[in-house]
Amino acid sequence: MAFKVLALLALAACPMVLAQQYGQYGHGQQVEQYLHEPHYAFEYAVHDDHTKDIHSHKESRKGDRTEGEYSLVEPDGTIRTVKYHVDGKSGFIAEVIRSGHAVHAPAVVAKPVVAYKPVVATYKPIVATYKPVVAAYKPIVAAHPAATSYVQNGHFNHGVNHY
């Protein structure tokens, strides 16, 4: 099993080694390193009265210095604003500012719980008595009119009825 893992890792590393050796990736395209200073700025805001989603964000960067701030309205109505900056290797430094007055929903008073009263059911077995039904056998004998039509006057009519 370990051999299979090592073989797969070796196969996966081959294209990277070849690309580093020849300075190419893919179909003979030369990769060039560009050293430039990153520079950007953006800003957006959302104000949706239906969902109560209100927030904004803005950020700018020039080289190793990034500054920005974002704010949002908390569920209790206060506004949280976070101002941050990154300067070189100092890391992310943020300042959190809360403003506004919290508005809380009215307290809900719980109703007392009714004590549990167990329901006691009594078991009453159903007892059925067996009573056999006995019917007297009475054979029913009846003469069928078609049976008499085959023989009339002592002669066999071959199934022809003469009424």
Side-chain angles (χ1 to χ4, degrees):
M1 180 67 184
F3 176 74
K4 290 180 183 179
V5 172
L6 288 175
L8 288 174
L9 289 175
L11 287 174
C14 285
M16 292 187 289
V17 170
L18 291 174
Q20 289 175 356
Q21 182 179 358
Y22 296 107
Q24 298 176 2
Y25 291 101
H27 302 283
Q29 299 172 356
Q30 186 68 28
V31 176
E32 298 180 23
Q33 296 289 332
Y34 291 102
L35 299 175
H36 66 284
E37 182 177 88
H39 181 66
Y40 67 86
F42 71 87
E43 183 175 345
Y44 71 89
V46 174
H47 188 98
D48 188 358
D49 289 328
H50 178 70
T51 61
K52 306 297 185 218
D53 184 15
I54 303 169
H55 65 272
S56 64
H57 187 191
K58 64 180 176 180
E59 181 177 291
S60 63
R61 178 177 180 183
K62 185 168 186 180
D64 289 339
R65 178 124 178 105
T66 304
E67 292 183 353
E69 113 178 23
Y70 64 89
S71 67
L72 59 110
V73 177
E74 297 278 2
D76 64 356
T78 59
I79 298 172
R80 178 175 37 161
T81 304
V82 178
K83 295 182 180 183
Y84 60 90
H85 69 275
V86 178
D87 190 8
K89 295 182 181 181
S90 66
F92 183 83
I93 300 172
E95 176 187 4
V96 180
I97 304 163
R98 295 192 185 268
S99 59
H101 182 64
V103 178
H104 298 286
V108 177
V109 178
K111 295 180 181 177
V113 178
V114 178
Y116 172 73
K117 294 180 183 177
V119 176
V120 178
T122 57
Y123 174 72
K124 295 180 183 176
I126 299 173
V127 179
T129 57
Y130 174 72
K131 294 180 183 176
V133 177
V134 178
Y137 174 72
K138 296 179 184 177
I140 300 173
V141 179
H144 194 271
T148 59
S149 65
Y150 287 107
V151 179
Q152 284 184 345
N153 301 327
H155 300 286
F156 187 66
N157 292 333
H158 301 285
V160 178
N161 291 328
H162 301 284
Y163 289 108

